[in-house]
Amino acid sequence: MNVNLEYYRIFYYVAKYQNFTRAARAMGNSQPNITRAMNLLEQEIHCTLFIRTNRGVRLTPEGEKLYIRVSAAMEQLQTAEEELHESSGLEHGTISIGASETALNIYLLEKLRTFHMEYPGIRLKIYNHSTPQAVQAVKNGEIDFAVVTTPTDVETPLKKVDLYSFQEILVGGKTFMALGSQELSLAEVQNYPFICLGRETQTWKFYQQIFERHGLELMPDTEVATTDQILPLVKNELGMAFLPEAMAREAIEKGEIIELSLRESVPQRSVCMVYDRQHPLSAAAKELKSRMQQSISTEAGNEL
């Protein structure tokens, strides 16, 4: 049976209003067209759906059964249309982001605060991922984009855009006060307790490569899951660690931890955005993505 689906839409309105004329008015159509469509529907499904009366129509038992199914389908379609309408604007919608701890703290939070103040109707879903987990979530289509830290390797159709450069510094607790006026080498750092993110993170790989370039092996005494866990451990004298300067600065100024000089240079890292060029984005996600990309030139200009 190959019934014109438009007939079912017309049937829904006729059954809802129990009147051909009112259904025609609601649909912006003419009453003869509506009547003709319902006659054709009854012919095609070989079933009487309406009992015609002087006041309008009422459903037959068969019509009642059909209306239950058709009305449920119409409600689903109307809900879908409303959701699509909301996602095409900036008054409603949802953005899903995978973020590493460092990227969230030193970059993304401020961007989200500004965006949320301007578009309070947009829902934000933030997933706490390591960089590899976030990249995989983008690849799987589970999130709109990821905001993570370098080093980050991606393959087509994924694209990586650097958003913000940052420097990491070596810090220690108050027990390292005597070392504050000295310049340490990486080899000397190995003589002290050391804290680092876990082996599954890109940060581990970053420092592993630095140590290896100087003929050393990265062997931390304490491994943690997130960057947020490092600062409390340093404050409580569990060892030295590398931290983004922005995350360590307040504790240094308060005298809670000590900044230590390192003979070898640590390359700058970047907060970057990873997205799938083939994955369609809602209007809200496009707006936030565009704003973050536009901020690159602005922040670079401020540094000049």
Side-chain angles (χ1 to χ4, degrees), residues 219-237:
M219 296 180 62
D221 299 87
T222 304
E223 294 181 31
V224 298
T226 66
T227 311
D228 267 357
Q229 295 172 322
I230 294 178
L231 185 56
L233 294 177
V234 172
K235 287 181 181 180
N236 284 277
E237 311 296 351

Side-chain angles (χ1 to χ4, degrees), residues 69-100:
R69 301 291 188 183
V70 171
S71 61
M74 286 296 298
E75 288 171 6
Q76 289 291 323
L77 288 171
Q78 289 168 355
T79 299
E81 288 176 355
E82 290 171 2
E83 290 176 350
L84 288 173
H85 175 71
E86 289 179 354
S87 67
S88 66
L90 292 171
E91 295 181 1
H92 303 281
T94 301
I95 306 173
S96 56
I97 306 169
S100 66

